[in-house]
Amino acid sequence: MLAEVTGNSASPTALSSTASAASQQREWAGKRLSPTIGFELQDVSIAAKFTEDDIASLRRLLGKHKVLVFRDQGDLTPAAHVAFARRFGPLEVHPIIAHHPDHPELVTFVHNSDSRGIENVFHSDTSFYPEPSMGSILRCAECPEVGGDTIFVNMVAAYEALSPTIKDRIADLSAMHDASVVFGNRQPTKEGRDELRKQIPAVEHPVVRTHPETGEKILFVNETFTTHFANYRQVNNGVWNQDAPAQARDLFTHLMRQARTPEFQVRIQWQRDTVVFWDNRAVQHYAISDYHPHTRSMMRATIVGDRPR
């Protein structure tokens, strides 16, 4: 069993001197889930009361491992789920996805014999917002005996693995993110799709963003919401010849494929009352839809983020 220790070492006397010293010594027992991403905590109830130092320590742990897994959270009520998530920042109320009847901050995903899973595409939640979400906290209420796993991808590692040439090419590129690519399919009429685009207009984000807490560089494009480069011509000194469209498409496709690399991934097998907390700024995910006609029911709280820079 591995133990994750945040902060620097200090004597017991030093630990008792101040609360800040105590926060530096908080240990989270658990195990790494892959060399690249993921940490499963042992014997932690997120329905319990956490100090501000505990929350700061968990935030640092999240920054390091990108995905935190909490098992056996049977005492977590929807209200406690929302309360825990709110310790990390204001919560989003999703404008489209169904939500819990008593807690609009909790979106619900229920798939069964009448509804196949549709989240089986690599994506970063709400990247179509000017300020995409900081993180998501997803609880499994019901899952099949086998199937319905989720793949999480470390997009810091995906960026780091790019060649120096590619890193130079994308350093100043930005791309468009558009909610209507996915949610427009729920609108039966052109008028409905036009209204959706007015409500949630496409936004431009840097292709490489910097993590506001760790300083790491992140490849910030995803195949669900990212549609095209916004400034490919400008970055290439205004040149737009016959080769440029094909070169732009090839580069775009190359970047999208990074999320599919197993070396950057961890695959989480759900159990009832498992909770996963991931850093949405640095992580993409893919919900595997291999369980039809069985039921998979999830609830997610999503924390408001910052503008990518």
Side-chain angles (χ1 to χ4, degrees):
M1 182 66 67
L2 299 176
E4 181 69 29
V5 184
T6 60
N8 301 316
S9 60
S11 68
T13 301
L15 286 177
S16 63
S17 62
T18 63
S20 61
S23 70
Q24 291 177 352
Q25 284 300 299
R26 178 63 193 258
E27 296 185 7
W28 303 100
K31 61 181 179 181
R32 293 170 63 199
L33 299 178
S34 82
T36 309
I37 179 174
F39 187 82
E40 183 172 319
L41 292 94
Q42 179 186 13
D43 300 328
V44 175
S45 170
I46 62 176
K49 292 184 179 180
F50 290 100
T51 67
E52 289 299 321
D53 290 331
D54 291 337
I55 295 300
S57 181
L58 279 173
R59 187 184 287 270
R60 290 192 294 271
L61 195 68
L62 181 69
K64 179 177 180 180
H65 294 288
K66 313 297 189 270
V67 172
L68 303 180
V69 180
F70 305 82
R71 300 287 186 185
D72 303 318
Q73 302 297 309
D75 57 346
L76 185 70
T77 64
H81 187 166
V82 170
F84 175 72
R86 193 168 278 133
R87 297 294 299 276
F88 296 89
L91 302 185
E92 295 178 1
V93 175
H94 200 283
I96 298 172
I97 301 176
H99 56 77
H100 189 280
D102 300 321
H103 301 279
E105 304 93 342
L106 289 179
V107 297
T108 57
F109 304 90
V110 181
H111 297 296
N112 50 39
S113 59
D114 298 324
S115 171
R116 287 182 178 270
I118 57 173
E119 297 82 22
N120 53 334
V121 186
F122 286 104
H123 63 285
S124 172
D125 288 333
T126 65
S127 72
F128 50 80
Y129 281 159
E131 297 180 344
S133 58
M134 168 265 179
S136 292
I137 301 174
L138 182 66
R139 178 191 181 179
C140 176
E142 183 178 354
C143 61
E145 182 178 354
V146 293
D149 300 351
T150 301
I151 296 171
F152 294 91
V153 191
N154 183 343
M155 297 308 292
V156 173
Y159 171 79
E160 291 174 349
L162 294 171
S163 70
T165 299
I166 295 296
K167 289 178 180 177
D168 287 342
R169 290 182 66 189
I170 66 176
D172 297 317
L173 280 178
S174 60
M176 301 304 297
H177 296 244
D178 190 348
S180 68
V181 173
V182 173
F183 297 113
N185 293 326
R186 303 188 183 195
Q187 300 294 330
T189 65
K190 180 180 183 301
E191 290 74 19
R193 292 188 291 275
D194 289 343
E195 182 60 28
L196 175 64
R197 292 188 181 94
K198 290 179 183 178
Q199 293 175 2
I200 313 176
V203 296
E204 183 175 339
H205 292 312
V207 168
V208 181
R209 69 174 295 182
T210 300
H211 196 289
E213 296 173 34
T214 69
E216 296 168 309
K217 290 188 176 182
I218 303 160
L219 181 60
F220 196 67
V221 292
N222 68 86
E223 64 184 19
T224 300
F225 299 117
T226 313
T227 57
H228 61 280
F229 295 129
N231 62 337
Y232 186 84
R233 179 174 181 175
Q234 289 84 351
V235 169
N236 286 274
N237 298 316
V239 176
W240 190 257
N241 53 29
Q242 288 181 325
D243 294 335
Q247 290 174 358
R249 286 194 295 268
D250 289 346
L251 177 59
F252 191 81
T253 301
H254 176 70
L255 298 180
M256 293 297 171
R257 283 199 302 264
Q258 287 295 95
R260 296 178 174 270
T261 304
E263 285 79 359
F264 313 145
Q265 300 176 353
V266 66
R267 180 166 172 156
I268 303 298
Q269 185 175 27
W270 293 97
Q271 301 165 1
R272 187 183 180 92
D273 296 324
T274 291
V275 172
V276 175
F277 183 6
W278 69 90
D279 187 331
N280 192 60
R281 299 162 296 190
V283 170
Q284 289 188 35
H285 61 286
Y286 179 115
I288 301 171
S289 296
D290 58 354
Y291 51 90
H292 185 268
H294 302 286
T295 297
R296 183 180 187 268
S297 176
M298 320 290 280
M299 288 187 291
R300 187 189 78 199
T302 304
I303 304 157
V304 173
D306 63 299
R307 183 177 293 274
R309 303 188 187 283

